């Protein structure tokens, strides 16, 4: 294979052209990435022209260049946010010291694990969503799916850059492993459980983008506080793209809610399913599932790893520099929910080992703001239904509530009560079959599946009926 044109083919601001060692590593890795993309990327649309946004620099003019291209030709760039002059570490035992420009030797393994865990989520979500194109509700939504996919691919490049630029042979081996694991594979699954779940339909995709990509926002924001400056700068730029993924999820669910409410207003005495839309109780059950699975991504309520990451200066809190405490937390406490025999209680715990729960609190509050916007749509249609986030102990596989059964309203319940009511709380097989049967591809410009409303506006000032994906 000939050498890659690093100025044109891979836009970057990390001087790839001047780093021969990194060039050689990426020259070996790139064809395997493209092979993975063709095998595990969006199915059936690799040869189609898609109206995509490409980042070519980190400034306002360069990070969002729009135009048609085929996805395998997407210019997956490597970008770090602009450096902060004289940046210092803001928290932990190294507070006040200059931010590290190289990996501290004593933290090498821990930092690598953080980067690999984050990096593994990026290709995993592409794999989870690869079949969705066949059942797209519109060309607008199809384009948004592909935009999310290529940006997850770029985020993989961002993590691979860090591994190959700063971790030597170990980093190169980890970069290879990121392409070898597969979402849901029994032998080589992805690292985190939520990224081994199926995304079989567009309601699940929108819920995933709202809830699970929002976890990504909070993990990236915490890593953006890292004392390892290249990781901090990488994550700060990734956050600009992550915002679009959450928009796709929130607006997608909102449009489903809107369409259901329109039908309910027109046919107040009918089951909405008889008119081919997704009823609000089913939307609530899908919400319950995706929220609970995403909560597990934050880890256990009490975690020595979280305390160590913070104390070592590797991973901070959300918006660390805006907080007004001592940024050491050695004597601080934090209130969390704990399991005490047959009761869930709020108790004061040392702040350092409860950092996962503190981040989860920030996440839950952010999710609630989105649910409030969905409820506003319902209220504007005069319908007396409220979507609700379930209790954080509901349907958990990690943490204090993993071994007990908790109802959506926060009651500890017996296995018998759980079994009697779980069909009210989580998607049923009938729900999944019904939703799956609605998934018929709609690919005429400006047309939308019956179960979802059109968006208020198109992409980048284009009309809603723009040909976002060229199928001819």
């Amino acid at each position: 294979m000939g050498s890659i044109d690093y100025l044109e083919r891979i836009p970057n601001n990390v001087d790839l052209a001047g780093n021969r060692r990194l060039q050689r590593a990426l020259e070996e890795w790139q064809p395997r990435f493209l092979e993975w993309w063709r095998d595990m990327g969006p199915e059936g649309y690799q040869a189609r022209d898609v109206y995509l946004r490409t980042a070519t620099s980190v400034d306002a003019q360069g990070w969002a260049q729009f135009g048609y291209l085929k996805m395998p030709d997407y210019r997956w760039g490597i970008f770090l946010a602009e450096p902060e002059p004289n940046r210092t570490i803001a928290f932990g035992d190294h507070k006040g010291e200059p931010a590290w420009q190289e990996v501290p030797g004593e933290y090498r393994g821990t930092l690598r694990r953080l980067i690999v865990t984050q990096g593994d989520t990026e290709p995993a979500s592409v794999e989870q969503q690869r079949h969705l194109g066949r059942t797209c509700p519109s060309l607008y939504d199809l384009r948004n799916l592909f935009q999310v996919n290529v940006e997850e691919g770029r985020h993989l490049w961002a993590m691979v850059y860090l591994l190959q630029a700063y971790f030597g042979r170990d980093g190169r081996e980890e970069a290879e492993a990121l392409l070898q694991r597969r979402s849901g594979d029994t032998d080589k699954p992805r690292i985190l459980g939520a990224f081994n779940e199926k995304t079989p339909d567009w309601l699940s995709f929108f819920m995933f983008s709202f809830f699970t990509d929002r976890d990504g926002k909070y993990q990236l924001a915490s890593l953006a506080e890292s004392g390892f400056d290249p990781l901090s700068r990488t994550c700060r730029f990734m956050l600009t793209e992550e915002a679009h993924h959450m928009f796709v999820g929130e607006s997608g669910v909102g449009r489903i809610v809107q369409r259901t409410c329109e039908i309910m207003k027109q046919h107040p005495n009918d089951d909405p399913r008889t008119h081919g839309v997704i009823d609000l109780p089913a939307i609530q059950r899908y919400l319950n599932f995706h929220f609970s699975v995403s909560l597990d991504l934050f880890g256990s309520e009490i975690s020595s790893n979280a305390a160590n990451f913070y104390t070592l200066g590797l991973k901070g809190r959300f918006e660390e520099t805006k907080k007004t405490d001592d940024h050491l937390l050695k004597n601080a406490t934090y209130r969390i929910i704990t399991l005490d025999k047959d009761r869930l209680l709020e108790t004061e715990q040392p702040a350092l080992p409860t950092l996962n729960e503190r981040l989860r609190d920030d996440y839950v509050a952010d999710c609630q703001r989105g649910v409030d916007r969905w409820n506003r749509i319902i209220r504007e249609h005069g319908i007396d239904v409220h979507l609700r986030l379930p209790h954080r102990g509901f349907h958990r596989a990690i943490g204090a509530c993993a071994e007990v059964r908790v109802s959506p309203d926060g009651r500890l319940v017996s296995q018998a009560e759980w079994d009697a009511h779980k069909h009210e709380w989580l998607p049923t097989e009938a729900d999944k079959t019904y939703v799956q049967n609605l998934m018929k591809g709609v690919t005429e410009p400006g047309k939308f599946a019956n179960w979802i409303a059109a968006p208020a506006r198109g992409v980048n000032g284009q009309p809603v009926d723009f040909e976002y994906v060229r199928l001819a």
Side-chain angles (χ1 to χ4, degrees), residues 43-45 129-137 142 145-146 200 202 436 439-443:
E43 186 180 69
Y45 290 89
Q129 298 158 13
R130 65 184 303 259
H131 300 297
L132 290 175
R134 295 178 300 185
T135 58
C136 64
L142 185 63
L145 168 69
F146 294 158
W202 281 78
Q436 192 67 50
M439 299 294 115
K440 311 294 184 186
V442 176
T443 56

Side-chain angles (χ1 to χ4, degrees), residues 147-425:
Q147 184 70 54
V148 170
N149 292 160
V150 295
E151 287 179 353
E152 300 292 15
R154 202 206 68 76
H155 293 178
L156 172 61
W157 272 80
M159 295 294 106
V160 164
Y161 159 73
L162 293 174
L163 290 169
Q164 294 193 340
Y166 293 96
F167 291 90
R169 176 181 293 180
D170 289 347
R172 292 191 293 275
E173 291 175 353
E174 294 285 11
E176 291 297 323
L178 288 170
L179 297 177
Q180 293 168 359
R181 287 186 287 271
R182 294 288 185 268
S183 176
D185 190 284
T186 54
D187 296 322
K188 289 187 175 181
R190 292 298 175 179
I191 295 170
L192 299 177
F195 291 89
N196 290 299
E197 298 282 351
K198 293 182 179 179
T199 308
D201 55 71
W202 281 78
L203 174 58
S204 298
F205 167 65
F206 290 134
M207 289 287 183
F208 181 98
S209 299
F210 179 80
F211 287 113
T212 307
D213 280 326
R214 195 169 304 275
D215 161 78
K217 165 188 171 180
Y218 282 86
Q219 300 299 340
L220 289 173
S222 299
L223 292 172
E225 304 287 348
S226 178
F228 179 44
D229 203 44
L231 175 59
S232 169
R233 292 171 59 200
T234 296
C235 292
R236 275 187 275 145
F237 184 72
M238 289 169 70
L239 282 165
T240 63
E241 294 170 321
E242 201 71 34
H244 173 257
H245 305 182
M246 292 182 291
F247 163 79
V248 169
E250 181 178 330
S251 63
V253 175
R255 289 162 53 215
I256 295 171
V257 169
Q258 178 183 332
R259 181 60 181 148
T260 299
C261 290
E262 290 170 355
I263 291 295
M264 292 175 69
K265 286 286 285 183
Q266 294 169 19
H267 308 279
N269 298 319
D270 294 353
D271 179 351
R273 292 194 181 192
T274 63
H275 298 278
V277 296
I278 304 172
D279 53 291
L280 295 178
I283 292 172
Q284 177 69 66
R285 290 190 287 273
Y286 275 74
L287 183 163
N288 289 348
F289 174 79
H290 285 273
F291 177 67
S292 60
V293 168
S294 298
L295 286 180
D296 279 344
L297 293 170
F298 291 87
S300 296
E301 294 87 350
I302 297 176
S303 167
S304 58
N305 280 338
N308 289 336
F309 295 158
Y310 188 87
T311 300
L312 300 179
L314 304 181
K315 182 179 180 182
R317 293 170 291 178
F318 179 66
E319 297 185 334
E320 179 71 45
T321 55
K322 295 183 180 180
K323 301 188 186 304
T324 57
D325 53 32
D326 66 3
H327 301 278
L328 300 174
L329 306 182
K330 296 184 183 298
N331 300 311
T333 61
Y334 193 72
R335 291 185 69 82
I336 68 168
I337 293 173
T338 55
L339 179 65
D340 181 18
K341 297 179 181 177
D342 59 350
R343 296 185 301 168
L344 294 173
L345 300 174
E346 271 201 5
T347 61
E348 291 281 345
Q349 299 290 332
L352 281 171
T354 61
L355 284 169
N356 282 347
E357 193 67 4
R358 183 167 190 154
L359 190 61
R360 190 160 23 227
D361 284 345
D362 292 329
Y363 168 83
V364 170
D366 198 5
C367 288
Q368 185 60 58
R369 288 189 283 271
V371 174
D372 289 343
R373 288 188 281 272
W374 296 338
N375 281 327
R376 189 177 307 131
I377 296 170
I378 300 173
R379 190 167 59 250
E380 288 171 351
H381 283 81
I383 296 169
D384 187 21
V385 174
H386 296 277
L387 299 174
R388 291 181 172 85
L389 294 176
H391 187 274
R392 69 182 61 209
F394 171 76
H395 190 236
R396 292 290 301 283
I398 291 174
C401 294
E403 303 303 320
V404 296
R405 295 297 193 181
V406 180
S407 67
D409 60 1
R411 294 179 297 109
L412 284 178
V413 299
S414 66
Q415 185 65 44
E417 184 175 354
W418 174 270
D419 290 340
H421 291 281
K422 66 180 180 181
H423 67 283
E424 303 168 17
W425 300 337

